Every structure is written in structure tokens, then in C-alpha cells.
Amino acid sequence: MSENVMKFIEEELKKNSEVSNATLFEGAKLIDKAIGKLNPRQFHAKYPLQVKRRLAGAAPRRKVRAPAKAKAARRPRAPKGDGGAAVLAYVTRVLKRNPDVKNAELFKGACEIDASVAELSARQFHAKYPLQVKRRLAAAAPAPKPAPRARKPAATAVAEPAPAPAVAEVPSMGDAAAVRGLLLSLARELANAGTQAETIEVMARLDGYVDDIMQAARN
């Protein structure tokens, strides 16, 4: 290691600690031609870096206060306790507005309301929220108003009324609306099933639909 080169670099760094490595390299080559055999990286590691360390070790140390740690931003906490109720209210509101909304869209919106929903799979979320809401809405659907009956023309002659024919008992209009709603809910689920596995999953819940339909018919 050339002492003349080291002395040159030390003097230059004392004058200007920000002097570039290229400037030092060119000056060192004028002092010692052997420096030209090194590339800039090798030169920097062998001379300027060593001088900088030596100067840093000789300089009095100043106590430097560690920068205060920035407080980590708190993540918004998902609501506790009523998170499920908030998600259920959200799903109910969206399904009333758009019964054909995709499960993925409901899932995304529910995760923004309650972060714990993200721990569920798409199928678990559908069974826990949209499916329950659809059944409830179908059962609570208002019955259509019956059509007004046509008036019978007045008879010209008085005759004994004919005995009324026996009529089989039929479910009320309210029962028919509830059954229709449940069948529409099942049809939407089958239409929204994107894969064969999802279709099979919907069919696996067919017994639940049958029970709801029987209950609506009995009511």
C-alpha cells in the first residue's frame, strides 16, 4: 500500500469529505502508476475506505440520540359482539335492493364491515349469511292481492240454490307466495353456482328447502 497515496487521500478528505472516488482515483494514479491496475471498486476499498475509517476513529464521538420510534398506526378494529349483526343487516339491505347480487360481492363488502368474516371461506360465508337472509325474505314475502271476483248476473226467476260441489282444500295465497319465494331462492342459488361442486353443495341443502316449503304450506 502506497503511503504517498494514503497521505494524498487523507489530505483531500480532510479538505472535502464529500470528494468523489473518481477524483481521488485520478489523483492517486498520478502519484503511483501502479494504482491504474486497480478498478475503481478495488481502489476505493484499499485506500479511501481505509482512510475514512481511520479519520472516523480519530474524531471525537458525539452522543447521538436515537430517533424516536414512530408509533405504528393502529389498524381499525373490527366491531366486536355486534359484528355479525352488522354483516347480517348489510346482506339483508343489499339482497332487498338486488336479489341477484353475486356472493363474491357480498363477501367483499362484509369483510369491510367485520374483518373476522375474512376467516370464513366463500361457501361458509354464503351458508351463514346470504342463504339465511334469502330464506327469511322468501318466508316474509307479502301475498299478492286476489283478483276481484266477477259479479253474477241477476236471475230472472227464483230457483232453489244448487248444492255447492265439494272442493279440495288448497293452500292460501299467502302460502303460495311463500312457497314461490323459496323456490325462486333455490333457483337463484343454482344459477349463481359457478362450479359443479357449488351446485352439489346447493343440492345438499335441498332438505332444508323442503322443510321450509312444508312449513309454509302448513301455515
Side-chain angles (χ1 to χ4, degrees), residues 28-29 31-38 47:
K29 286 192 290 184
I31 297 171
D32 187 350
K33 294 182 181 180
I35 298 295
K37 297 179 181 179
L38 304 176
Y47 293 98

Side-chain angles (χ1 to χ4, degrees), residues 99-100 131 134-141 171 174-192 202-203 205-214 216-217:
D100 296 322
L131 180 59
K134 287 178 182 178
R135 289 179 177 177
R136 185 186 305 171
L137 293 178
D175 298 336
V179 171
R180 187 184 302 107
L182 290 167
L183 291 175
L184 286 174
S185 178
L186 175 60
R188 289 192 190 101
E189 280 204 74
L190 290 172
N192 290 334
V202 174
M203 296 306 297
R205 296 193 297 271
L206 190 61
D207 290 343
Y209 274 102
V210 173
D211 291 342
D212 291 343
I213 292 172
M214 296 298 294

